[in-house]
Amino acid sequence: MPEKHEAMFLPSDSGMLILVFVLGCFAVVIAACVLNFHRAVGLLVIALMTVFFLVWDCSMKRYGDRIWEAIYPVRNLLSRNWFWIRCYCAQYIVLLFKHTPKMSFFCTSSKWSFRTLLWGMGLQFFLALLSFRTTFGLQALQWTGHQAEIFLAFTDVGSKFVFGESYTEHPFVFKVMPILVFLSSVISILYYIGFMPWLICKIGFIMQATMGTSPTESVAAAGNIFLGQTDSVLLIRPYLSKLTRSEIHAVMTGGFAGLSGTILGVYISFGVEATHLLTASVMSAPASLAIAKMFWPETETSSLTDNQDLKIDRSTNILEAASQGATSAVGLVATIVANLIAFMALLAFFDAVLSWFGGLLDCPQLSFSLISSYMFMPLSFMMGVSWEDCFIVAELIGIKTFINEFVAYQKLSVLIKRRKAGGPEYVNNIKQYISVHSETIATYALCGFSNFASLGMLIGALSSMAPNRRTDISSCGFRSLIAGSVSCFMTACIAGDYVLLSACLFDYIKIRYLL
């Protein structure tokens, strides 16, 4: 009997392997720090974050109910004083709008949830201040962007092996498009090992706990940081037919407000600043939920209220996951190439027709770009773009809205290269590049799938997944497209004007009360 009793406390073989693996990881981290601490800072931060989240998971599984009961006095205090908290927050928002009236058009409804709106804007401001006003945040983003560029450079090895030494002669097809295949395979592997579902659920839980949104729309919004608009919907596919109309609208808005990680990799290869792309992708997640609930407030009861009930499927084999990720990107590559050929040809034809028609009225310079620049010029000015760059940024916004964001970013990359090359500023009285500040705002404003081509794709995908909700999905389509565009523009405003105002307030508080 004693031997049996002692055997009950002996770890299993798998437990021993896990213990040895964990101890080995700690030994590697300690050895790296001893040899060169400055070089091992990145590894140390990753190790500490891993330990923190593992402890968090274990604590929530074991003591989640006790923790929730322990913070009941705080929740009760906030609940009893929620009216005054809303009043103070509303005064703060009015103060912001008083100093920056460019954003006052976002307050379009009196029925939306103050909690969702305030927390959504608060998360955006926090991420913006962390990124732009703290040395740690700025260095972390720059380090992450640099590592992303190094990581994407490994695609050249496969491109060189398949297409030969001269693959750089056709950079778009043989250098840029293979990035989609590589990143799609990597993301699929991360899904298999469980990291991607875990990360998406954690980000979704943070937005659910703070903004008061349902688990389904929170997880879908978090998924849009890393996945495309149709891929993120697959995370909640079993629950799609049971969503309320407001939740469907929020899910679609998140799809229009975000970009997939694979597409971000392509834009980084274009020369667009990686730090801004990464920041815009993260900031748009809470913005999409806040704007979606402003456009379509929740009036029904969600069928899923517990985030623990949400399950995400994974592949069964790591090699299968890598292969499926790579092969699934082939269709995406073909779709992008075909759409670019068609859209660029149609744009050239449309410009020729407009030029011919304008010539009859003594206006031969009439073109789609000219129309877009005048149509969206007030919007670009409201986002904080300098007057001399407003027409160029407005043209990019028009191309993104009516064609797609890929063509818009490609034109933005040309402007960035011209500025860095220091070429002539004006050719035929047309400015050839824009300032760094305007490039930043344009990067944030274009970071989303909000265009009419994506509208048809998303409605078709959602209707095939939930045929019984086809009518509700179609009714939410156009409004969610506008809400997704507003989310991107709101993020651009924060990157442009609001960060400057918040920085002034931050510096005032620091000087007045901390120094």
Side-chain angles (χ1 to χ4, degrees):
M1 290 296 295
E3 295 180 356
K4 183 177 180 181
H5 180 73
E6 292 176 0
M8 293 175 60
F9 296 94
L10 292 177
S12 61
D13 294 339
S14 59
M16 287 294 297
L17 291 176
I18 294 175
L19 180 61
V20 171
F21 176 76
V22 171
L23 293 177
C25 291
F26 274 109
V28 170
V29 172
I30 294 173
C33 293
V34 171
L35 292 175
N36 191 327
F37 181 78
H38 180 73
R39 183 178 59 190
V41 168
L43 180 61
L44 180 61
V45 171
I46 294 174
L48 293 176
M49 291 180 61
T50 302
V51 172
F52 171 77
F53 284 114
L54 288 176
V55 172
W56 180 16
D57 283 344
C58 294
S59 301
M60 293 303 295
K61 288 180 180 179
R62 290 176 176 264
Y63 311 108
D65 296 336
R66 298 181 184 178
I67 294 175
W68 190 250
E69 293 177 359
I71 63 175
Y72 173 77
V74 178
R75 293 189 288 114
N76 188 33
L77 179 64
L78 293 176
S79 178
R80 286 188 286 107
N81 296 278
W82 180 237
F83 173 78
W84 298 108
I85 294 175
R86 287 198 306 179
C87 291
Y88 286 125
C89 292
Q91 292 177 4
Y92 178 69
I93 293 177
V94 170
L95 175 63
L96 291 178
F97 287 159
K98 179 180 178 181
H99 287 276
T100 55
K102 302 176 183 179
M103 286 294 296
S104 60
F105 66 93
F106 283 131
C107 293
T108 57
S109 175
S110 60
K111 299 180 180 179
W112 28 260
S113 171
F114 273 92
R115 176 183 176 183
T116 303
L117 174 64
L118 295 178
W119 271 105
M121 295 183 63
L123 290 174
Q124 276 194 306
F125 275 106
F126 173 75
L127 292 172
L129 290 176
L130 183 65
S131 303
F132 298 111
R133 294 299 299 174
T134 62
T135 304
F136 169 77
L138 183 60
Q139 290 180 350
L141 273 178
Q142 291 176 345
W143 180 84
T144 304
H146 180 64
Q147 299 304 315
E149 294 175 355
I150 295 175
F151 180 71
L152 295 177
F154 289 107
T155 311
D156 296 339
V157 178
S159 300
K160 183 177 180 181
F161 178 79
V162 175
F163 303 116
E165 297 285 346
S166 60
Y167 75 98
T168 55
E169 296 179 3
H170 303 279
F172 183 79
V173 176
F174 296 151
K175 183 177 176 64
V176 175
M177 288 294 101
I179 292 177
L180 294 174
V181 180
F182 177 52
L183 286 180
S184 180
S185 180
V186 171
I187 290 176
S188 183
I189 293 175
L190 293 177
Y191 256 98
Y192 169 76
I193 64 178
F195 174 77
M196 191 63 69
W198 174 86
L199 181 61
I200 290 174
C201 286
K202 288 294 177 293
I203 298 176
F205 173 77
I206 293 174
M207 289 190 289
Q208 176 195 351
T210 56
M211 302 178 66
T213 50
S214 67
T216 49
E217 56 192 2
S218 301
V219 170
N224 284 308
I225 300 175
F226 312 98
L227 308 174
Q229 56 182 177
T230 55
D231 296 333
S232 61
V233 177
L234 294 176
L235 299 173
I236 58 171
R237 183 173 184 174
Y239 317 96
L240 193 58
S241 60
K242 302 178 182 178
L243 297 182
T244 65
R245 288 183 298 172
S246 179
E247 288 176 335
I248 293 176
H249 178 263
V251 170
M252 296 181 70
T253 300
F256 289 125
L259 286 177
S260 64
T262 53
I263 298 296
L264 286 180
V266 174
Y267 297 152
I268 292 174
S269 68
F270 280 174
V272 183
E273 189 67 34
T275 55
H276 295 317
L277 287 172
L278 295 173
T279 307
S281 183
V282 177
M283 289 175 61
S284 294
S288 65
L289 288 179
I291 299 300
K293 293 306 179 182
M294 288 174 60
F295 275 64
W296 198 308
E298 184 64 83
T299 57
E300 306 172 64
T301 302
S302 177
S303 59
L304 185 66
T305 57
D306 187 4
N307 66 307
Q308 298 297 330
D309 297 334
L310 198 61
K311 303 297 181 183
I312 299 179
D313 296 331
R314 295 184 298 174
S315 301
T316 57
N317 183 279
I318 189 170
L319 296 179
E320 177 189 0
S323 177
Q324 287 181 351
T327 53
S328 63
V330 175
L332 178 61
V333 171
T335 301
I336 291 176
V337 173
N339 283 333
L340 283 178
I341 294 174
F343 282 130
M344 295 301 291
L346 288 172
L347 181 60
F349 170 74
F350 191 51
D351 284 341
V353 172
L354 289 175
S355 179
W356 170 79
F357 182 76
L360 300 178
L361 303 175
D362 291 335
C363 186
Q365 69 273 18
L366 184 64
S367 64
F368 175 80
S369 300
L370 183 64
I371 296 174
S372 298
S373 62
Y374 278 96
M375 182 184 300
F376 293 99
M377 183 273 296
L379 177 62
S380 63
F381 179 71
M382 284 191 295
M383 289 191 298
V385 179
S386 59
W387 176 255
E388 60 180 3
D389 296 332
C390 279
F391 288 95
I392 300 179
V393 176
E395 176 187 344
L396 296 176
I397 295 175
I399 293 174
K400 178 239 183 178
T401 303
F402 294 108
I403 302 179
N404 60 36
E405 73 290 338
F406 208 98
V407 179
Y409 269 117
Q410 193 175 31
K411 289 186 174 292
L412 178 62
S413 68
V414 174
L415 296 173
I416 294 174
K417 291 176 183 178
R418 285 176 181 172
R419 177 182 58 79
K420 292 181 178 179
E425 185 175 358
Y426 291 91
V427 174
N428 296 328
N429 295 325
I430 299 177
K431 193 175 181 181
Q432 294 299 297
Y433 59 83
I434 56 181
S435 65
V436 177
H437 180 69
S438 299
E439 286 177 7
T440 301
I441 297 178
T443 301
Y444 284 84
L446 301 179
C447 193
F449 285 121
S450 49
N451 55 72
F452 288 98
S454 298
L455 175 61
M457 293 173 56
L458 185 57
I459 290 178
L462 291 178
S463 299
S464 63
M465 297 179 194
N468 60 321
R469 305 300 302 275
R470 190 184 303 272
T471 303
D472 294 332
I473 292 170
S474 300
S475 64
C476 296
F478 187 70
R479 188 185 296 188
S480 63
L481 174 63
I482 298 176
S485 299
V486 171
S487 301
C488 298
F489 300 151
M490 185 176 177
T491 304
C493 288
I494 293 177
D497 282 352
Y498 273 15
V499 167
L500 298 178
L501 176 61
S502 301
C504 294
L505 293 176
F506 180 79
D507 290 340
Y508 172 77
I509 293 173
K510 182 171 62 175
I511 295 173
R512 178 69 176 82
Y513 298 103
L514 301 181
L515 297 182

